[in-house]
Amino acid sequence: MQRLATRRKPRRQIVTPEIRSIGILGAGRVGTALARLALAAGYEVRVATARPPHEIALLLEVMAPGAEPLSVEALIATSDIVILALPLSKYRELRPELFAGKIVIDAMNYWPPTDGTIEDFERAASSSEIVQDHLAGARLVRAFNHMGYHEIEQEARPEGDPARRALAVAGNDADARAAVSGFIDRLGYDPIDAGPLMASRNFGVGTTIFGAAFDRTEMAQLLASAHQREAA
Ligand SMILES: NC(=O)c1ccc[n+]([C@@H]2O[C@H](COP(=O)([O-])OP(=O)(O)OC[C@H]3O[C@@H](n4cnc5c(N)ncnc54)[C@H](OP(=O)(O)O)[C@@H]3O)[C@@H](O)[C@H]2O)c1
């Protein structure tokens, strides 16, 4: 008897481009901590703020030696991954056309004491979904937001270290999530894929994950239970 071939839907191959250059928008607490960590991991690092590059050159020499000050336009054009590390209240200053097709990490949180009250974010379950709507062509991935800036360098650990912490990653583009996960891994954290951007509401401000430390098993369980609660 002829056996029926079982037809499985072919799995889409994840394409992870080689990431060499990291552009960071914001040279504050988060921006400079990520710049130092990325430099230590061997990436080329560029930083831009709303000010002209020469105005942040000295700050970078002191706070992130080796990072190159660039204009926002040049940074976005020449970086493989762009990290948003500016106050969320400024997100509308980001020009969507510059970000088309770019892998962008959104590390921003809605924090009314510093951002003021912003109606859009008062209503939103995840600020990243609003940022993605604004930067419609960007391949936005939410990551790094649930960890304090002071921990970013001090908690980084090599792969296999029992104290290595996990960072949640969410975004609608699977290839972008994979590229960001590779970056996170090289910086010293276990990336845990939470799935689409909507899942970022499970590690935003006020959640169990926000501001707490978990290893990869705990993080995966927390994200899975949050997902199940939503689906129920
Ligand atoms: N602090 C934390 O522990 C922590 C942890 C996770 C996530 N976050 C989030 O990360 C973001 C940055 O936090 P932070 O504590 O690093 O803030 P911060 O120290 O106040 O630094 C903000 C930086 O953003 C720059 N900036 C302002 N407008 C800009 C624009 N239009 N384009 C580019 N850069 C711009 C500022 O530069 P100029 O002064 O030159 O304008 C400054 O360098 C926030 O959204 C925050 O919610 C913070």
Side-chain angles (χ1 to χ4, degrees):
M1 195 172 71
Q2 200 183 346
R3 288 181 67 194
L4 285 174
T6 45
R7 285 216 176 160
R8 285 209 183 148
K9 202 174 158 197
R11 267 190 152 186
R12 199 176 71 80
Q13 217 184 343
I14 301 283
V15 182
T16 48
E18 196 179 346
I19 305 299
R20 294 166 192 265
S21 51
I22 305 297
I24 303 174
L25 292 180
R29 290 164 293 191
V30 173
T32 54
L34 282 174
R36 290 189 294 271
L37 194 55
L39 284 161
Y43 291 100
E44 294 164 26
V45 176
R46 301 84 197 261
V47 179
T49 70
R51 289 182 275 165
H54 70 268
E55 287 191 24
I56 60 165
L58 181 60
L59 180 143
L60 291 182
E61 260 177 61
V62 175
M63 297 299 292
E68 185 187 4
L70 281 185
S71 67
V72 171
E73 293 80 0
L75 176 142
I76 296 169
T78 60
S79 298
D80 297 323
I81 291 181
V82 177
I83 304 179
L84 305 179
L86 59 150
L88 188 57
S89 56
K90 305 284 174 75
Y91 85 102
R92 285 194 175 278
E93 292 177 14
L94 302 171
R95 289 162 50 202
E97 69 278 13
L98 300 177
F99 291 86
K102 282 280 168 186
I103 298 175
V104 176
I105 299 178
D106 178 11
M108 302 185 291
N109 288 312
Y110 176 46
W111 204 255
T114 50
D115 290 321
T117 303
I118 306 173
E119 272 314 308
D120 288 355
F121 298 114
E122 289 286 318
R123 286 193 300 271
S126 159
S127 59
S128 286
E129 291 172 88
I130 307 241
V131 177
Q132 174 72 86
D133 283 350
H134 177 61
L135 302 179
R139 304 157 73 196
L140 198 86
V141 176
R142 186 167 181 83
F144 294 109
N145 69 294
H146 63 75
M147 174 176 260
Y149 77 95
H150 53 286
E151 299 175 309
I152 288 172
E153 288 168 284
Q154 107 196 4
E155 293 300 324
R157 299 277 187 284
E159 196 182 348
D161 188 307
R164 202 183 209 222
R165 279 167 64 165
L167 289 182
V169 172
N172 294 336
D173 182 316
D175 294 342
R177 289 202 309 272
V180 170
S181 296
F183 170 61
I184 288 174
D185 182 40
R186 198 161 133 190
L187 290 195
Y189 294 93
D190 284 329
I192 306 295
D193 190 341
L197 197 55
M198 195 204 278
S200 64
R201 52 186 72 175
N202 298 327
F203 54 93
V205 178
T207 62
T208 308
I209 292 171
F210 190 84
F214 297 106
D215 67 18
R216 56 178 307 123
T217 309
E218 295 163 331
M219 180 68 81
Q221 279 167 354
L222 282 166
L223 289 169
S225 345
H227 180 68
Q228 276 162 10
R229 274 197 305 279
E230 273 177 354

